[in-house]
């Protein structure tokens, strides 16, 4: 299904206006600096000329002789009529931002305070998602009302509204908590995500909705059509009702048991439907692997090979709560991240407190029209949990710099040391060490 809702287009418009306003302000500042410099130079020159007196030699023309031609004539050797310029065809470059798991727990819910306002929790990292051309993350929880937190893994609507205001576009809901509160919980979660101006990935309220959507979502950004598919390994042992088996995209036929039998038929049918749309790029969001475990299973490798051979350009994983290996083939433009780690969670277990926000560069060739991933980068982030203070997500490099510079709102020395260690581990994990 092509996702071109008014809310999505409005966010694109507002984001563009904000970026253009920043550029205008930067241009005004540059012009002010230039005018000030010119004025200063003029004053210096004036003073210099006055101090020299009338004996100063007449200024010599710096215009080259061949340019000082009679008005209406051209310098010798210049054939104006023969100079033709082909129209410049530019490439289109966009950026896709992706974050890992947002886990709905008691402490995560409490980060919003009594007003359930999550602005502060995401303030330091929100722009990384909002400034991208399209952004996505994985929500491990439901929107089913009170009680909030870990009992029913229910998030307040204000949390997803904050994500929408930050500029998040897509929310992966195909994960362990898709049907934690039954099919009605799935339906209300889908409605809540859309009410916040975002589009859910990998889940559907009914079989009819799945058939209508085809199991995928297409987003068009600056003329580039990106198809998103999302799958989960399972739903924490729960199974879908017989008449709703298509409501969640699942990777395995034995998804309620051992996760050994890859459902190539289901995966292939969705990718075949995507292929008929002829998108410029295909991104697969996968909730897979084992929790708190670095091991990459043989079935994960099989899935990767199948997806890449079926035309998937980027595979972005979640679920393990750890940052895991990333690979990129610049020749083919294929990217793989086994897991981005936890975007926001309790940070209770070592390794789950740090993760990354991914930035994929996507380029569409202006001449050939071909599109592929041309590079990637990432920003290391850390969930700060200090005493009874609300949880917040911080950029590691910038937070460490603030500590070193002695800022008033700096983190504690203990958090600084954990961030220092986290940077080393992130690098090692991404490189598969």
């Amino acid at each position: 299904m092509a996702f071109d809702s008014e809310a999505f287009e409005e966010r694109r418009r507002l984001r563009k206006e904000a970026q253009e306003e920043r550029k205008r302000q930067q241009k005004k500042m540059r012009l002010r600096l230039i005018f000030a410099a010119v004025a200063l130079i003029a004053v210096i020159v004036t003073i210099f000329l006055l101090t020299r007196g009338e004996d100063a030699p007449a200024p010599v023309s710096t215009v080259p002789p061949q340019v000082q031609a009679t008005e209406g004539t051209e310098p010798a050797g210049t054939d104006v009529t023969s100079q033709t310029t082909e129209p410049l065809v530019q490439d289109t470059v966009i950026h896709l931002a992706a974050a890992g798991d947002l886990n709905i727990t008691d402490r995560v819910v409490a980060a919003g305070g009594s007003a359930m306002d999550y602005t502060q929790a995401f303030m330091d990292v929100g722009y990384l998602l909002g400034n991208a051309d399209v952004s996505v993350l994985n929500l491990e929880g439901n929107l089913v009302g009170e009680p909030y937190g870990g009992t029913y893994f229910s998030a307040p609507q204000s949390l997803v509204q904050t994500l929408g205001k930050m500029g998040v576009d897509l929310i992966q809901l195909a994960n362990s908590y898709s049907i934690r509160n039954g099919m009605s919980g799935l339906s209300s979660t889908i409605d809540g995500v859309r009410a916040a101006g975002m589009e859910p990935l990998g889940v559907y309220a009914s079989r009819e909705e799945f058939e209508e959507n085809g199991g995928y979502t297409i987003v068009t950004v600056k003329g580039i059509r990106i198809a998103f598919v999302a799958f989960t390994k399972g739903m924490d042992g729960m199974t879908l009702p017989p008449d709703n088996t298509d409501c969640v995209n699942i990777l395995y036929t034995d998804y309620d048991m051992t996760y050994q039998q890859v459902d190539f038929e289901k995966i292939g049918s969705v990718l075949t439907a995507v292929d008929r749309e002829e998108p410029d790029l295909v991104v697969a969001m996968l909730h897979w692997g084992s929790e708190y475990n670095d091991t990459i299973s043989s079935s994960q490798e099989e899935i990767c090979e199948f997806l890449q051979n079926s035309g998937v350009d980027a595979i972005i994983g979640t679920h393990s709560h750890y940052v895991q290996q990333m690979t990129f083939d610049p020749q083919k433009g294929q990217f793989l991240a086994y897991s981005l780690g936890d975007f926001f969670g309790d940070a209770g277990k070592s390794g789950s407190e740090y993760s990354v926000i991914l930035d994929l560069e996507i380029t569409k060739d202006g001449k050939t029209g071909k599109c592929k991933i041309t590079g990637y980068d990432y920003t290391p982030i850390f969930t700060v949990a200090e005493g009874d203070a609300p949880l917040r997500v911080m950029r590691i490099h910038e937070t460490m710099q603030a500590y070193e510079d002695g800022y008033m709102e700096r983190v504690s020395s203990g958090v600084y040391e954990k961030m220092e260690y986290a940077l080393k581990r992130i690098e090692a994990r991404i490189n598969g060490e």
Side-chain angles (χ1 to χ4, degrees):
M1 179 192 73
F3 173 46
D4 291 314
S5 70
E6 292 182 5
F8 184 85
E9 292 303 322
E10 180 67 8
R11 281 201 306 280
R12 300 272 77 73
R13 184 185 66 79
L14 292 175
R15 185 178 301 171
K16 184 177 181 181
E17 286 181 358
Q19 291 171 342
E20 289 176 349
E21 179 60 26
R22 284 195 296 271
K23 290 179 181 178
R24 283 195 292 270
Q25 294 300 326
Q26 291 169 353
K27 185 177 181 180
K28 286 180 181 178
M29 181 60 70
R30 286 195 295 269
L31 288 174
R32 290 192 189 103
L33 292 174
I34 291 170
F35 289 149
V38 170
L40 180 61
I41 292 171
V43 170
I44 293 172
V45 170
T46 301
I47 294 172
F48 175 74
L49 292 176
L50 289 174
T51 56
R52 291 191 63 185
E54 297 180 355
D55 294 331
V60 179
S61 174
T62 58
V63 182
Q66 65 269 27
V67 178
Q68 300 181 37
T70 304
E71 184 177 356
T73 65
E74 294 295 334
T78 302
D79 183 2
V80 178
T81 59
S82 66
Q83 293 181 356
T84 58
T85 304
E86 292 185 4
L88 180 62
V89 180
Q90 294 184 333
D91 296 342
T92 301
V93 180
I94 64 172
H95 288 264
L96 184 157
D101 297 308
L102 198 172
N103 306 304
I104 303 306
T105 66
D106 290 342
R107 194 166 184 189
V108 165
V109 171
S114 58
M116 293 191 177
D117 183 349
Y118 296 89
T119 305
Q120 291 294 325
F122 303 125
M123 180 172 288
D124 194 54
V125 300
Y127 82 96
L128 295 170
L129 297 165
N131 284 357
D133 295 288
V134 60
S135 57
V136 58
L137 60 79
N138 178 62
L139 176 65
E140 286 205 315
N142 294 160
L143 300 170
V144 292
E146 297 185 90
Y148 299 123
T151 302
Y152 296 99
F153 300 94
S154 178
Q157 182 66 21
S158 60
L159 189 149
V160 292
Q161 287 174 336
T162 301
L163 297 177
K165 290 176 182 177
M166 277 175 12
V168 176
D169 301 302
L170 305 165
I171 297 289
Q172 179 179 353
L173 292 179
N175 53 49
S176 302
Y177 297 90
S178 299
I179 56 172
R180 170 66 65 171
N181 291 285
M183 293 304 299
S184 62
L186 174 62
S187 180
S188 65
T189 304
I190 291 172
D191 291 342
V193 167
R194 287 181 174 145
M198 300 174 288
E199 184 69 7
L201 296 178
V203 296
Y204 306 93
S206 64
R207 174 175 291 176
E208 290 73 24
E209 185 179 340
F210 168 81
E211 292 173 351
E212 179 184 347
N213 287 267
Y216 61 88
T217 297
I218 293 182
V219 175
T220 302
V221 183
K222 296 181 181 178
I224 297 177
R225 299 176 73 244
I226 305 175
F228 286 86
V229 297
F231 290 85
T232 180
K233 63 178 290 185
M235 294 165 293
D236 204 19
M238 294 174 286
T239 58
L240 290 163
D243 56 340
N244 287 300
T245 54
D246 288 325
C247 289
V248 181
N249 287 346
I250 301 176
L251 291 170
Y252 299 88
T253 57
D254 57 342
Y255 66 91
D256 59 338
M257 297 173 63
T258 57
Y259 316 111
Q260 295 295 316
Q261 304 299 320
V262 180
D263 194 347
F264 291 113
E265 182 178 352
K266 173 62 179 288
I267 301 169
S269 67
V270 172
L271 294 179
T272 297
V274 168
D275 189 56
R276 286 196 290 266
E277 292 278 357
E278 298 183 350
D280 293 301
L281 204 84
V282 182
V283 177
M285 308 295 299
L286 304 183
H287 193 72
W288 61 351
S290 300
E291 289 186 300
Y292 307 107
N293 193 317
D294 284 326
T295 303
I296 304 301
S297 69
S298 58
S299 68
Q300 283 180 275
E301 293 174 345
E302 289 177 23
I303 292 168
C304 282
E305 183 178 4
F306 181 78
L307 292 176
Q308 290 175 338
N309 289 340
S310 300
V312 172
D313 301 279
I315 299 171
I316 301 174
T318 55
H319 179 60
S320 72
H321 307 293
Y322 289 162
V323 177
Q324 292 181 331
Q325 185 178 6
M326 295 182 188
T327 62
F328 176 54
D329 184 338
Q331 195 69 29
K332 296 180 179 179
Q334 289 183 328
F335 175 84
L336 164 64
Y338 279 103
S339 174
L340 297 183
D342 280 351
F343 168 64
F344 192 41
D346 279 359
K349 291 192 177 182
S350 178
S352 68
E353 70 271 42
Y354 56 82
S355 67
V356 298
I357 294 179
L358 178 68
D359 174 13
L360 286 184
E361 179 188 77
I362 300 167
T363 303
K364 187 171 187 177
D365 190 292
K367 292 183 178 179
T368 66
K370 292 184 177 180
C371 186
K372 71 174 186 177
I373 297 168
T374 48
Y376 77 98
D377 198 0
Y378 55 84
T379 300
I381 61 174
F382 193 96
T383 298
V384 177
E386 292 188 290
D388 295 329
L391 298 174
R392 51 189 174 143
V393 189
M394 309 288 286
R395 293 166 296 162
I396 295 180
H397 286 295
E398 290 74 9
T399 304
M400 290 179 66
Q401 188 63 54
Y403 177 89
E404 293 165 6
D405 292 342
Y407 282 8
M408 291 291 291
E409 296 297 322
R410 62 187 182 276
V411 296
S412 67
S413 59
V415 171
Y416 176 87
E417 290 171 1
K418 289 179 180 179
M419 286 185 168
E420 195 172 32
Y421 173 76
L423 283 179
K424 297 176 183 177
R425 292 303 303 141
I426 288 172
E427 204 64 31
R429 288 180 178 278
I430 286 174
N431 292 323
E433 299 172 3

